[in-house]
Every structure is written in structure tokens, then in C-alpha cells.
């Protein structure tokens, strides 16, 4: 039996892609997906819909209220202990998740697959290859708080579980441009399951815009972001804004009022929404995972994906020192996209 842990709808989508495409994947009968349910209502709703798709495709999905009160983590670990011990391979969507890292301490010498979690996958492979502490790119350079210090032993042991050895194979299933490292097998995710299951989409005139949580993660200034969205919408004739699940309601209300865009809260990951349609002939985005995934999901449709660079003055003063270079790398390594300069 193989066991997958997911905490977001995108992670669950990529587990389904892995189960249909990767050489080591077992297919639906040999995989149980455990949803470590988040508290965010938007993420929970999308995960419910993705869980339905997974069950329809023949997978066993176990919904775990992993954050439902103070005793939930201990109860989750106790309930998952027996299935963890029986699993032959552990599949995870977010190696930076403290919850997943805690579960990995119980794994032992099992083979591990990390399925695509977007831009975080690029940083994970680089950090493991250098033997560094696992820290999300937008938090690097900050001081470690009390919680991080308490969890440091868990993070250290999880990093060992995620590092290849003679007794443990590590696979990364991704659509992101990662450099192969010794001992790590990189399997490409080309969204074959998504393309076979959905579409082709109905294409509308004009453009649609994809939202980002760069404001919420403290990287980009809110005012600068709203001005950039407004300028792009005017220039390219965009009418809809597909919100990221982590974008705040207050920000989206301001965006709607100030730009005139129709804000859409997708019920599924954008790759599925775009593939099902209707979708604009051009999809506009800032540096994010979708500039790598949408061209694959929309291959053969004629839809153009365009990415707008992040201007230095948009970054907040307390943004991570690596933020600008990392975002530029996300854009620069994207294939089959049109590069757009930051609006003046």
C-alpha cells in the first residue's frame, strides 16, 4: 500500500497525476489519500470537490480533521500510526509543512515521493541537495521564532527522511524546472490526466487574470499590486480575476472596486478550471506556479499564457532578501509563456 498526505487541492490534483503517470505509481487500487484538512474555508471547499473527483477516479480518500482543536494533532498521529507502518511508499505534497514533517518522523526507511507543490518544489530540491534547513523561500533570512525552535528536532529528522540513502529512494514528481540531484529521481508531470479528463475548453475573447498570494505572504505591497493589476487589465482587456485561495476577502473587494474586474473564487484548482472552460484566449499571471502548469494543462488549445515581471519597487521592505531573485527565476524558467514587463 502507498499512502499520500495532502493539505491543498493542488497537491491532491498532483497526486492523481502521479498515480496515472509515474513509473513507481501504483494506480488507484494501491493508493490511499489522506487529506489533512486545513481550517481555511476556501481551501476546505476546493479539497472537498477534489476529494469527490479522486473517489470518482477509484481512489480511497480519508478525510482527517487534523486541525480541529488542541488535541487534533495527537489524535491524528495516533490514528495514522498503523497505516503509516504498513505503507511501502509515502507520498507528500508539502515537505515544508510542520504537520507532514511530524508524520515523517514515524516513517522510518520508507521510500518517499514529493509531488508537485509549485514553486516550493524548486526550493525543496535545492535545500535537500545542499543539506540545508527546510525553510520556505519567502521566509528565508528571518529570525526563528519560539515555535520554530521547539520544532527544530522534528524538522531535522524530517529532512533526513526526505534525503536519499542506500535504504531509501526519493522521487520528485513535478512540472517545475528542478535540477536533478544525486539520489533524487525527477519524474515530469505533464498533466496528462487533466488533459484526458477535461476539455478542450471553450475559449472566450479577451483575457483572464490569475491572482496571487504574494501580498498575503508579505512579499509585495498591496497598493503596488492593485495598481499593477489595474494596468494589466486595461492593457490586455481582462474582465475576470481568478482569485488564489489564500487571497483575503478585503483585498479582493478592493480589487473589484478599483479595477472593475469580476472576481471569481474557483471551486477547483485553476488547471482544471481552465481546462474545462470557458477561459480567455490570453491568461495573465504574475510569477507563480501556474506559469509552469497552465501551458501544460492547456497544451494544444491555442490559449496564450503571459507572465508579468515583479518590479523591485513592488517588494515590501521586510520581504525576504531572496524574494526578487527567486521570483525572477520562476518567470525566467517558464516555458511556452509570453514575458511582459512590469507596468510603469
Amino acid at each position: 500500500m502507498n499512502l499520500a498526505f495532502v493539505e491543498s487541492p493542488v497537491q491532491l490534483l498532483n497526486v492523481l497525476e502521479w498515480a496515472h503517470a509515474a513509473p513507481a505509481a501504483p494506480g488507484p487500487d494501491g493508493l490511499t489519500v489522506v487529506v489533512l484538512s486545513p481550517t481555511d474555508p476556501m481551501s476546505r471547499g476546493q479539497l472537498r470537490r477534489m476529494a469527490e473527483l479522486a473517489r470518482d477516479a477509484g481512489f480511497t480518500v480519508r478525510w482527517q480533521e487534523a486541525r480541529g482543536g488542541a488535541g487534533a494533532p495527537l489524535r491524528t498521529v495516533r490514528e495514522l500510526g498503523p497505516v503509516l507502518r504498513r505503507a511501502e511508499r509515502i507520498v507528500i505534497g508539502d515537505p515544508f509543512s510542520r504537520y507532514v514533517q511530524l508524520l515523517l518522523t514515524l516513517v522510518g526507511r520508507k521510500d518517499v515521493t514529493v509531488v508537485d507543490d509549485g514553486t516550493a518544489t524548486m526550493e525543496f530540491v535545492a535545500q535537500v541537495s545542499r543539506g540545508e534547513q527546510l525553510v520556505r523561500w519567502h521566509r528565508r533570512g528571518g529570525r526563528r521564532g519560539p515555535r520554530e525552535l521547539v520544532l527544530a528536532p522534528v524538522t531535522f529528522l524530517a529532512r533526513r527522511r526526505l534525503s536519499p540513502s542506500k535504504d531509501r529512494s526519493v522521487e520528485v514528481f513535478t512540472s517545475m524546472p528542478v535540477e536533478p540531484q544525486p539520489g533524487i529521481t525527477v519524474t515530469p508531470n505533464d498533466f496528462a490526466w487533466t488533459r484526458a479528463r477535461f476539455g478542450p475548453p471553450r475559449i472566450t475573447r479577451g483575457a483572464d487574470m490569475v491572482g496571487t498570494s504574494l501580498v498575503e505572504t508579505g512579499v509585495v505591497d498591496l497598493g503596488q499590486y492593485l495598481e499593477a493589476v489595474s494596468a494589466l487589465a486595461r492593457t490586455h482587456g481582462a474582465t475576470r480575476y481568478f482569485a488564489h485561495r489564500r487571497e483575503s476577502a478585503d483585498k479582493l473587494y478592493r480589487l473589484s472596486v478599483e479595477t472593475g474586474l469580476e472576481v471569481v473564487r474557483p471551486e477547483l484548482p485553476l488547471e482544471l478550471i481552465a481546462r474545462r472552460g470557458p477561459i480567455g484566449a490570453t491568461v495573465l499571471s504574475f510569477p507563480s506556479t501556474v506559469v509552469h502548469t497552465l501551458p501544460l494543462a492547456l497544451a494544444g488549445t491555442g490559449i496564450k499564457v503571459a507572465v508579468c515581471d515583479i518590479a523591485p519597487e513592488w517588494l515590501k521592505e521586510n520581504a525576504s532578501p531572496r524574494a526578487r531573485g527567486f521570483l525572477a527565476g520562476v518567470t525566467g524558467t517558464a516555458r511556452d509563456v509570453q514575458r511582459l514587463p512590469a507596468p510603469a
Side-chain angles (χ1 to χ4, degrees):
M1 181 187 72
N2 293 258
L3 196 61
F5 293 104
V6 299
E7 299 172 280
S8 79
V10 171
Q11 293 171 22
L12 181 46
L13 169 60
N14 288 315
V15 167
L16 301 185
E17 293 286 354
W18 173 78
H20 283 80
D29 294 337
L31 178 66
T32 295
V33 179
V34 178
V35 178
L36 302 173
S37 178
T39 57
D40 167 50
M42 186 68 183
S43 297
R44 287 174 67 89
Q46 286 192 359
L47 269 168
R48 291 284 189 192
R49 288 286 292 112
M50 280 303 306
E52 291 175 11
L53 289 179
R55 292 189 179 102
D56 289 345
F59 292 89
T60 299
V61 181
R62 174 172 176 169
W63 188 276
Q64 196 80 28
E65 290 293 353
R67 295 170 173 84
L74 182 60
R75 183 175 64 252
T76 297
V77 170
R78 184 173 60 248
E79 291 176 357
L80 293 177
V83 290
L84 268 169
R85 286 189 287 271
R86 292 198 304 270
E88 298 175 3
R89 176 176 291 271
I90 304 298
V91 184
I92 64 173
D94 183 4
F96 297 99
S97 164
R98 295 291 187 255
Y99 218 128
V100 169
Q101 290 177 0
L102 177 62
L103 293 171
L104 284 174
T105 63
L106 309 176
V107 164
R109 297 178 178 178
K110 299 182 187 296
D111 296 333
V112 177
T113 292
V114 178
V115 296
D116 207 343
D117 191 38
T119 55
T121 308
M122 301 166 65
E123 194 74 341
F124 161 72
V125 174
Q127 289 179 21
V128 167
S129 67
R130 295 192 295 259
E132 296 178 352
Q133 178 188 2
L134 296 178
V135 182
R136 298 184 192 276
W137 65 268
H138 57 83
R139 295 179 183 168
R140 293 181 68 83
R143 181 178 299 176
R144 288 168 46 164
R147 182 171 179 269
E148 284 72 24
L149 293 174
V150 169
L151 292 173
V154 171
T155 301
F156 174 78
L157 186 54
R159 188 178 67 197
R160 291 184 58 185
R161 297 286 189 263
L162 291 166
S163 300
S165 69
K166 63 178 182 179
D167 301 315
R168 176 176 49 252
S169 70
V170 175
E171 177 193 21
V172 175
F173 179 74
T174 181
S175 58
M176 305 302 290
V178 299
E179 292 291 333
Q181 302 295 332
I184 297 179
T185 301
V186 178
T187 304
N189 177 9
D190 63 1
F191 285 87
W193 180 81
T194 295
R195 286 185 280 109
R197 187 72 181 263
F198 301 99
R202 179 170 66 86
I203 302 174
T204 64
R205 294 181 179 180
D208 287 321
M209 186 171 293
V210 179
T212 174
S213 60
L214 289 173
V215 171
E216 284 72 13
T217 53
V219 176
V220 171
D221 175 78
L222 173 59
Q224 296 277 11
Y225 182 78
L226 293 176
E227 289 181 10
V229 169
S230 182
L232 280 174
R234 288 194 307 270
T235 301
H236 298 275
T239 58
R240 294 187 299 175
Y241 180 96
F242 288 95
H244 188 280
R245 57 191 172 82
R246 292 198 185 100
E247 289 187 88
S248 70
D250 289 343
K251 168 190 164 186
L252 292 174
Y253 175 76
R254 251 188 89 176
L255 186 146
S256 176
V257 170
E258 295 182 19
T259 68
L261 288 166
E262 176 192 356
V263 174
V264 179
R265 286 277 200 177
E267 64 175 8
L268 289 168
L270 189 62
E271 293 80 7
L272 301 186
I273 293 294
R275 186 71 197 179
R276 295 196 310 180
I279 192 73
T282 299
V283 178
L284 303 165
S285 176
F286 295 99
S288 72
T289 302
V290 298
V291 303
H292 293 268
T293 59
L294 279 183
L296 295 170
L298 296 173
T301 64
I303 296 170
K304 179 174 64 177
V305 178
V307 55
C308 176
D309 289 323
I310 298 291
E313 60 268 22
W314 298 358
L315 300 179
K316 297 186 71 172
E317 292 184 1
N318 59 348
S320 162
R322 294 195 66 250
R324 182 181 177 187
F326 185 84
L327 291 171
V330 171
T331 302
T333 55
R335 299 178 180 178
D336 300 322
V337 300
Q338 177 185 357
R339 295 282 298 272
L340 302 175

